[in-house]
């Protein structure tokens, strides 16, 4: 709970997890093989552009045959104009198809990123199954970019490789069954070997993406704890580990590239062999050394030249597919990583629609027969619950202190009340309403949370107080600064921004900023405070406590603390654990 921003922002910004709630499917989830909106038009244009070479080749072969038979300029003028016009149309269709495909791929990537980001944002901060922040950042920012070439290059190339060779084969077959047979025999060998290589390429790409995510997570964690690492003299050990990870990543990257070059070499070999065999057959046939393969007739110069012109085009879609084969492996691995971040089955409950804040003042909080076991305890085989049959009633407007040493379950109890942790049994009621999957978002809209280390975003004091919420204008910010006793800090800093994590503010000023957020949230009738005075000196702790109690007037306050002085100022003290630390 300490990492959750101290704010009563709308519940859509906080995961709503409640007992007995069912998971919601991620919106608009589609398989990677499904057609992406806008991609069908791109596929049609690119396939049409490839097939326009057939009439161009026919016109060119006819013009050459006419010249060879003694024709003049007049007989080739019209074919030349047709070739030029078809070439222009072909270039426009190919460029337009590529542009549409790229735009559709970017839109699909943005959609999938949004789905994954929403799923991550709606997960509870207490969910131990959350992916590491470094891995999530790597997938969303870096690995996800592999989706664009997969959708804009590989998928069009795959469809061209299916349609174009079949059309060319249908055009060659009436002229020469022998040339068509050569093409038909050579063509299946290419996808066969590409599939064999592609399986290995996909495994290598997935291993590379996992390695990148793990390395990013390791680096981010070490950067966060850099001061601790330096104080314990572990810089050299961390550097050695990072060098080893970088070397392992280099080896995996080179393995992926080797496979990509191998697939290209295999395709070029078979396509070159196929074109050479067709050219050899046509040459020997025109020389009269081979008399079969043309349905009992002989091929003319125009027919033979047409077959020679379209033979390379028969293998061109397969070459394009081979060039994009690495995009397939990397793109499918990236899609799988994005889908894992936003997969169905996440502990997500509630609604993404705006939730109106609760009204009606301070609510009553009641826990009945609550049982809770931490996931890591349950997974280790330990069945000792943190709470078992726990009952608690907090009257409307009452100020209650949960008093215990660290580890007794104070923060967990606040998480249960906030709906950030689902109990295994029992029920939580807020304002007389059960905290369920349908009501959690609405109930949380009337809560505010203050932790011992509230998160401060990079930006101004005003931005950190308003947090982008509607209805908090400059007057509300000034009033909040006055209540939190931050007017001198605001005057001293002026427009200077605050660093990420509160750089530039002291611990006491950061806590008072959290109080200012609360002061700017009059609709919050329930305040949950987790060790707000921990790690503060006595004078600063007294100031923060005074400000908190002043803002808690007329509101329900549940405070977790092990400070006896702060606990004594509450209406009631509830000891947790074995009760030995109760005041």
């Amino acid at each position: 709970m300490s990492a959750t921003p101290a704010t009563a922002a709308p519940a859509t910004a906080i995961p709503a997890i409640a007992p007995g709630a069912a998971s919601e499917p991620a919106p608009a989830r589609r398989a990677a093989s499904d057609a992406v909106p806008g991609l069908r038009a791109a596929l049609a244009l690119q396939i049409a552009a490839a097939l326009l070479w057939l009439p161009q080749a026919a016109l060119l072969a006819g013009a050459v045959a006419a010249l060879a038979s003694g024709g003049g300029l007049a007989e080739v003028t019209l074919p030349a104009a047709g070739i030029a016009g078809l070439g222009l149309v072909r270039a426009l269709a190919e460029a337009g198809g590529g542009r549409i495909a790229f735009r559709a791929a970017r839109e699909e990537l943005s959609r999938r990123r949004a789905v994954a980001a929403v799923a991550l944002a709606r997960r509870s901060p207490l969910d131990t199954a959350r992916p590491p922040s470094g891995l999530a950042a790597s997938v969303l920012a870096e690995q996800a970019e592999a989706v664009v070439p997969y959708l804009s290059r590989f998928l069009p190339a795959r469809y061209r490789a299916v349609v174009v060779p079949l059309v060319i084969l249908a055009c060659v077959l009436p002229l020469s069954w022998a040339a068509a047979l050569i093409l038909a025999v050579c063509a299946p060998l290419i996808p066969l070997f590409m599939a064999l290589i592609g399986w290995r390429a996909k495994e290598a790409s997935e291993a590379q993406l996992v390695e990148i995510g793990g390395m990013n997570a390791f680096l981010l964690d070490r950067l966060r704890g850099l001061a601790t690492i330096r104080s314990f003299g572990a810089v050299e050990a961390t550097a050695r580990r990072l060098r080893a990870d970088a070397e392992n990543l280099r080896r995996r990257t080179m393995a992926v590239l080797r496979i990509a070059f191998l697939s290209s070499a295999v395709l070029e070999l078979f396509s070159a062999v196929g074109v050479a065999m067709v050219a050899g057959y046509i040459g020997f046939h025109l020389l009269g050394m081979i008399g079969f393969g043309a349905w009992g007739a002989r091929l003319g110069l125009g027919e033979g030249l047409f077959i020679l012109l379209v033979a390379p085009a028969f293998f061109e879609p397969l070459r394009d597919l081979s060039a994009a084969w690495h995009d397939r492996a990397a793109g499918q691995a990236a899609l799988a990583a994005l889908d894992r971040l936003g997969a169905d089955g996440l502990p997500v409950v509630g609604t993404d629609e705006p939730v109106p804040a609760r009204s009606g003042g301070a609510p009553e909080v009641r826990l009945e027969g609550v049982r809770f076991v931490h996931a890591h305890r349950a997974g280790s085989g330990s069945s000792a619950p943190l709470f078992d049959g726990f009952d608690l009633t907090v009257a409307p407007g009452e100020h209650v202190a949960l008093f215990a040493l660290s580890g007794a379950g104070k923060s967990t109890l606040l998480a249960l009340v906030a709906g950030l942790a689902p109990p295994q049994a029992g029920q939580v009621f807020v304002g007389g309403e059960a905290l369920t999957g349908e009501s959690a978002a609405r109930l949380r809209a009337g809560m505010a949370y203050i932790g011992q280390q509230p998160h401060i975003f990079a930006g101004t004091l005003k931005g950190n107080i308003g947090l982008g919420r509607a209805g908090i204008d400059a007057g509300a910010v000034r009033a909040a600064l006055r209540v939190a006793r931050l007017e001198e800090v605001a005057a001293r800093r002026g427009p200077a921004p605050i660093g990420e994590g509160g750089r530039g503010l002291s611990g006491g000023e950061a806590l008072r900023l959290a109080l200012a957020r609360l002061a700017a949230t009059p609709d919050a009738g329930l305040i949950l405070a987790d060790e707000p005075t921990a790690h503060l000196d006595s004078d600063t702790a007294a100031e923060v406590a005074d400000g908190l109690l002043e803002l808690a007037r007329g509101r329900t306050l549940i405070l977790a603390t092990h400070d006896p002085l702060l606990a004594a100022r509450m209406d009631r003290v509830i000891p947790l654990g074995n009760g030995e630390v109760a005041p």
Side-chain angles (χ1 to χ4, degrees), residues 125-503:
L126 299 182
D127 181 14
T128 57
R130 286 185 307 164
S133 55
L135 175 61
S138 175
V139 170
L140 290 175
E142 183 179 1
Q143 300 176 23
E145 287 298 325
V147 173
V148 174
Y150 169 69
L151 296 178
S152 62
R153 291 178 53 191
F154 173 77
L155 288 185
R158 186 181 70 180
Y159 282 100
R160 288 200 307 271
V162 172
V163 175
V164 175
L166 292 178
V167 174
I168 293 177
L169 198 64
C171 293
V172 172
L173 183 60
L175 302 176
S176 171
W177 61 264
L181 180 62
I182 294 173
L183 295 177
V185 170
C186 292
L189 297 177
I190 297 174
L192 174 62
F193 281 92
M194 286 176 61
L196 295 175
I197 297 173
W199 291 335
R200 182 69 185 95
K202 182 178 180 181
E203 294 177 1
S205 295
E206 290 177 348
Q208 183 199 30
L209 293 182
V210 171
E211 189 70 23
I212 292 175
M215 183 177 176
N216 286 344
F218 174 81
L219 181 60
L220 181 59
D221 290 341
R222 295 312 183 269
L223 288 176
R224 287 173 173 172
L226 189 58
T228 304
I229 292 173
R230 295 184 63 181
S231 63
F232 282 92
V235 175
E236 184 62 28
T238 303
R240 286 197 301 270
R241 165 72 184 278
L242 189 59
R243 281 195 295 270
D245 289 348
E247 179 63 22
N248 192 27
L249 177 61
R250 184 192 67 81
R251 288 196 298 267
R252 292 184 183 275
T253 302
M254 295 306 297
V256 173
L257 292 178
R258 283 196 299 269
I259 296 172
F261 285 123
L262 177 61
S263 63
S264 299
V266 169
L267 175 60
E268 291 297 334
L269 172 64
F270 284 102
S271 62
V273 170
V275 172
M277 292 177 64
V278 171
Y281 166 76
I282 296 297
F284 286 121
H285 187 90
L286 292 178
L287 291 175
M289 301 177 65
I290 296 179
F292 64 88
W295 304 105
R298 297 191 61 84
L299 294 176
L301 176 61
E303 296 169 336
L305 184 57
F306 172 77
I307 295 175
L308 286 176
L309 288 174
V310 300
F314 179 86
F315 294 100
E316 183 179 359
L318 298 176
R319 284 199 297 270
D320 295 339
L321 182 62
S322 175
W325 197 256
H326 176 66
D327 297 332
R328 169 189 176 273
Q332 288 183 345
L335 285 172
L338 283 171
D339 287 342
R340 282 193 297 270
L341 291 183
D344 295 343
L346 296 178
V348 177
V349 178
T351 176
D352 288 330
E353 298 298 325
V355 179
R358 283 173 51 87
S359 59
E364 177 194 57
V365 177
R366 190 170 75 255
L367 286 77
E368 295 182 354
V370 169
R371 186 178 191 274
F372 181 81
V373 182
H374 279 296
H376 65 274
R377 291 187 180 183
S380 63
S382 174
S383 59
L386 187 61
F387 298 105
D388 194 3
F390 184 83
D391 297 321
L392 173 65
T393 300
V394 180
E398 185 180 13
H399 297 172
V400 170
L402 306 176
F403 190 80
L405 294 177
S406 298
K410 303 186 300 297
S411 298
T412 302
L413 193 57
L414 294 181
L416 290 168
V417 174
L420 297 178
Q424 283 76 39
Q427 188 66 66
V428 179
F429 297 88
V430 179
E433 185 174 359
L435 186 65
T436 64
E438 292 73 23
S439 64
R442 184 176 68 257
L443 293 173
R444 189 179 291 107
M447 301 180 190
Y449 171 78
I450 298 177
Q452 54 183 296
Q453 293 180 340
H455 186 81
I456 309 299
F457 298 93
T460 62
L461 280 173
K462 177 182 178 180
N464 270 281
I465 293 174
L467 295 175
R469 295 172 290 174
I472 302 180
D473 53 14
V477 171
R478 285 194 299 269
L481 290 172
R482 183 171 59 255
V483 172
R485 303 175 187 176
L486 282 174
E487 291 177 302
E488 293 183 4
V489 176
R492 183 178 71 250
R493 295 189 61 86
I498 304 170
E500 183 70 23
R503 289 194 301 272

Side-chain angles (χ1 to χ4, degrees), residues 552-569:
R553 291 177 182 174
R555 309 186 193 191
T556 304
L557 171 63
I558 303 178
L559 170 73
T561 184
H562 58 258
D563 182 0
L565 296 179
L566 179 59
R569 303 181 65 177

